[in-house]
Amino acid sequence: MTINVIPSGAPCGATLTGIDLSQPLSDDAITEIRGHWLEHKVVAFPDQVLNPEDLQRIARYFGEIGADPFFGHIEGYPNICAIQRNADEKTSIFAETFHTDWSFMSVPPAATTLYGITIPPCGGDTLFADQTKAYEEMPDDLRERVEDLTAIHSAALGYAPDGAYGDKDQESGRSMQIKPSDKARETCSHPFIRTHRETGKKALFSSAAYIQGFADMTSEASQALLMELYQYQTQERFLYRHQWQARMLVMWDNRSLLHAATGGYDGYDRLLHRITIADSAW
Ligand code: SIN
């Protein structure tokens, strides 16, 4: 088996072909894929016919299956959630703000896999922002201001009962299963600049979507800095725009990327199945 790697040409992202993920993978193949994933941060495997059992098996090659707080799940598979929006739905696009998955956990997930089932003919791309490159190219004065900051993370903005996906949103006809909870108000602190435990590279970790503020800084100063950072972190020069196909599996590295969903597909169904992959340590 020869895995072909087609880099996206953007700062991150590659397509991997020459591999059939519906069949068990050898240790060598897993090691090779892990290397490509760590290098390119987001890898796409087109033309893969996969069922939920396959999706779980593939996720387990790369770590333990992680928890998905605040999501429902597909029937019979408590670890798989449906990222879903129906053709006639008028709800906001889920996850349209750049974020890294569940950064408010004490050990946030290493990876997320997303498998395209129903893909609209237009729109619905996923954007990825390379936060290793963002760190490496950060102007010295901004880097000096953030180098030693501790960020306070929380899911409140999204998943608390008064959050974007809270009680009001539940009444708006969203087809995706989201479970708002007061637990979303809990906080967890992490350094804003994170050293990737596998590559050793530094990256900016998470964004204003989950970061509430910085330790030892007023709320006003934190918010102003978060907005300045968000503008910086999500510049076009750090982005890869991923275009979906049905039967495509994508796996991204939450430790070195931000990602955001996009709309533009009103009138069409969009359905993908998602699994998060836990990390073994911060
Ligand atoms: C997500 O953030 O998990 C969803 C991404 C997408 O729908 O494109």
Side-chain angles (χ1 to χ4, degrees):
M1 180 198 67
T2 305
I3 301 178
N4 307 304
V5 183
I6 307 155
S8 70
C12 55
T15 299
L16 305 192
T17 63
I19 187 158
D20 180 359
L21 296 176
S22 71
Q23 301 303 311
L25 296 188
S26 67
D27 289 348
D28 284 352
I30 296 165
T31 303
E32 186 177 344
I33 293 170
R34 177 176 280 280
H36 296 311
W37 168 62
L38 289 172
E39 180 183 348
H40 296 283
K41 304 182 180 76
V42 48
V43 286
F45 304 86
D47 300 321
Q48 303 289 336
V49 178
L50 304 172
N51 60 34
E53 296 293 335
D54 292 324
L55 294 178
Q56 294 189 137
R57 173 179 50 79
I58 295 160
R60 287 193 181 104
Y61 291 143
F62 299 98
E64 301 273 317
I65 291 186
D68 269 323
F70 316 119
F71 281 175
H73 57 82
I74 65 169
E75 204 176 332
Y77 293 90
N79 300 315
I80 303 182
C81 81
I83 303 288
Q84 177 174 0
R85 193 168 184 272
N86 292 337
D88 59 357
E89 210 166 312
K90 301 283 179 267
T91 57
S92 61
I93 299 297
F94 173 73
E96 217 178 2
T97 305
F98 275 96
H99 62 287
T100 185
D101 287 331
W102 309 144
S103 70
F104 50 85
M105 294 171 79
S106 54
V107 181
T112 302
T113 62
L114 201 52
Y115 180 62
I117 295 171
T118 306
I119 299 302
C122 54
D125 299 343
T126 306
L127 300 177
F128 293 91
D130 186 333
Q131 297 303 290
T132 308
K133 187 171 164 72
Y135 171 78
E136 287 168 355
E137 296 184 4
M138 201 166 209
D140 289 345
D141 57 336
L142 183 55
R143 188 183 306 177
E144 275 159 28
R145 286 161 61 206
V146 302
E147 195 104 61
D148 298 318
L149 287 182
T150 297
I152 303 161
H153 298 241
S154 154
L157 279 180
Y159 300 100
D162 55 353
Y165 306 116
D167 295 340
K168 273 209 186 107
D169 186 67
Q170 293 296 299
E171 292 156 17
S172 69
R174 188 176 295 282
S175 56
M176 182 173 158
Q177 288 184 50
I178 299 183
K179 298 179 183 301
S181 157
D182 276 316
K183 273 188 81 61
R185 301 190 204 285
E186 290 174 4
T187 61
C188 182
S189 295
H190 296 297
F192 179 62
I193 295 179
R194 160 171 210 179
T195 303
H196 195 296
R197 66 172 186 80
E198 292 184 86
T199 65
K201 292 192 174 169
K202 288 184 175 181
L204 308 181
F205 182 64
S206 197
S207 75
Y210 285 134
I211 298 177
Q212 280 193 333
F214 296 103
D216 306 321
M217 200 181 276
T218 64
S219 170
E220 291 73 25
S222 286
Q223 285 313 309
L225 180 56
L226 280 168
M227 290 308 119
E228 182 182 347
L229 285 168
Y230 191 86
Q231 297 288 327
Y232 174 75
Q233 289 173 281
T234 60
Q235 288 174 80
E236 191 68 34
R237 66 187 162 122
F238 303 139
L239 297 190
Y240 161 57
R241 173 178 283 271
H242 178 74
Q243 292 183 315
W244 285 94
Q245 296 164 10
R247 296 181 299 285
M248 175 183 268
L249 182 76
V250 166
M251 178 168 74
W252 66 80
D253 190 337
N254 282 304
R255 300 162 295 187
S256 51
L257 292 174
L258 297 176
H259 64 278
T262 67
Y265 58 93
D266 278 0
Y268 296 99
D269 291 334
R270 183 174 186 265
L271 173 66
L272 305 97
H273 281 178
R274 180 180 126 144
I275 297 182
T276 50
I277 302 176
D279 210 347
S280 52
W282 165 257

